[in-house]
Amino acid sequence: MLTRRAAVSLLAGCLTLVASSLPVAAQNAGRLKVVATFSILGDMVRNVGGERVEVATLVGPNGDAHVYSPTPADGRRLTEARIVFTNGLKFEGWIDRLVKSSGTKAVKVEAAKGVKPLKSEDEGHGHGHDHGGADPHAWQSIGNAKIYVANIRDALIAADEAGKATYEANAASYLKQLDEVEAEVKGLVVKIPPERRRIITSHDAFRYFEEAYGIDFVAPQGVSTESEASAKDVARIIQQIKREKIAAIFVENVSDARLMERISKETGARIGSQVYSDALSEAGGPAGTYIDMMRHNIRAFSAALSS
Ligand SMILES: [Zn+2]
């Protein structure tokens, strides 16, 4: 005679077996289909939605959502979706046109709704940002990520009332993990000597991080990631690093290692490891999830700034 508990686990085992032998399309039947515009947001939606939700991410790992060109497949994903999650703050300049051309009936939800926007200082350089004044990189503060999670949870409940308890439980557990990472970030910043909390980055994407955690990020003056730095640009960066006593350099999308080595040699600023601002790494990489990304970045900053 089976105990009730054993019977339940036996039944669960059978269900798993049945599910895994079905084609993927059948497994996904009945799941709430949603779209997230970029990888960081897609990861958050997956965490809150869990098994009830099928998430299609438009701009994948290592992709640049600022300058994305949608494909016909993206249009089809939108047509099938019940919700389209966007960052908002004019991060995805291409999304409105895509929504319109797809004819989707999906609800559009801006995950950043309710965050206190910082003013963008990214005019005249950067990589083609046009944010109409607001800096869109709000997820770089974990406090803001918690607002994203609440917005995602509420939108999923509105679209799928039967999943309310699941979405609430998933969100609560994810928010707890976010609290833990935030405590780790703050703990590592405190250990960096205050006068060393200055970093230079090519892409001005860390201002919410700066505001929340107190590391200064300085963008190199007059350098675009879309063109190669001239000798004059390099000289100016070197002067800037010396003048502003910047301890470490983090540069994205710069393939010329010699340039960075030269700048590092002439200034004594240390070159940090690759950091992630607008996109996750491939799954299993150093920043395969939002939480791993935040953890990876603070460890990289901390390693380069601590003497
Ligand atoms: Zn950006």
Side-chain angles (χ1 to χ4, degrees):
M1 185 83 187
L2 288 169
T3 63
R4 188 179 153 77
R5 197 196 183 118
V8 168
S9 73
L10 200 69
L11 187 64
C14 290
L15 286 175
T16 307
L17 200 69
V18 171
S20 61
S21 63
L22 284 172
V24 173
Q27 278 185 52
N28 288 340
R31 293 167 89 191
L32 182 71
K33 288 192 173 185
V34 305
V35 161
T37 48
F38 67 118
S39 54
I40 293 168
L41 187 57
D43 175 56
M44 292 178 184
V45 175
R46 256 180 218 106
N47 273 281
V48 181
E51 293 294 309
R52 295 186 70 89
V53 173
E54 185 188 340
V55 187
T57 296
L58 302 184
V59 183
N62 300 312
D64 184 350
H66 292 289
V67 292
Y68 183 64
S69 301
T71 65
D74 292 335
R76 286 195 294 277
R77 290 186 185 111
L78 249 67
T79 311
E80 294 174 359
R82 295 270 308 279
I83 309 172
V84 179
F85 289 101
T86 68
N87 181 73
L89 302 174
K90 301 189 179 171
F91 181 51
E92 307 96 333
W94 40 272
I95 190 68
D96 287 344
R97 182 186 281 186
L98 179 62
V99 164
K100 206 170 170 195
S101 70
S102 74
T104 183
K105 302 274 190 299
V107 181
K108 191 162 152 254
V109 174
E110 293 196 354
K113 193 173 177 224
V115 311
K116 187 176 148 254
L118 294 177
K119 224 173 116 51
S120 180
E121 287 172 2
D122 202 32
E123 282 162 58
H125 62 89
H127 55 172
H129 292 200
D130 180 15
H131 305 132
D135 182 331
H137 307 92
W139 60 86
Q140 285 294 341
S141 145
I142 297 168
N144 286 342
K146 292 190 217 167
I147 296 174
Y148 283 42
V149 168
N151 287 333
I152 292 165
R153 177 198 60 207
D154 295 348
L156 291 175
I157 292 172
D160 174 25
E161 181 70 30
K164 188 171 191 278
T166 305
Y167 300 135
E168 284 174 348
N170 290 349
S173 123
Y174 188 53
L175 288 169
K176 197 164 155 269
Q177 294 176 56
L178 293 178
D179 281 336
E180 287 164 12
V181 185
E182 188 164 45
E184 186 178 336
V185 169
K186 288 178 174 169
L188 283 172
V189 172
V190 163
K191 287 188 192 139
I192 302 166
E195 71 280 6
R196 291 183 61 84
R197 293 179 196 162
R198 308 208 81 187
I199 285 173
I200 197 157
T201 51
S202 67
H203 172 201
D204 196 7
F206 293 98
R207 294 183 52 252
Y208 288 90
F209 188 100
E210 170 175 326
E211 163 118 337
Y213 309 116
I215 293 179
D216 284 352
F217 289 84
V218 183
Q221 292 158 0
V223 177
S224 162
T225 54
E226 282 161 359
S227 59
E228 250 176 76
S230 67
K232 213 172 143 194
D233 290 333
V234 174
R236 190 167 47 221
I237 295 171
I238 288 171
Q239 278 176 12
Q240 189 185 358
I241 290 173
K242 287 180 176 168
R243 187 177 64 241
E244 303 187 23
K245 299 189 170 57
I246 291 161
I249 311 169
F250 288 86
V251 181
E252 297 171 81
N253 313 330
V254 171
S255 51
D256 190 348
R258 286 169 309 173
L259 169 66
M260 299 320 299
E261 279 159 18
R262 187 180 146 204
I263 291 173
S264 170
K265 209 177 206 169
E266 293 196 29
T267 59
R270 204 181 293 188
I271 302 177
S273 53
Q274 166 93 49
V275 290
Y276 297 84
S277 61
D278 293 24
L280 301 177
S281 68
E282 295 292 345
T289 66
Y290 172 72
I291 283 179
D292 284 349
M293 175 183 96
M294 296 308 287
R295 197 166 263 148
H296 170 86
N297 286 353
I298 187 56
R299 287 178 182 172
F301 298 149
S302 159
L305 297 180
S306 306
S307 39

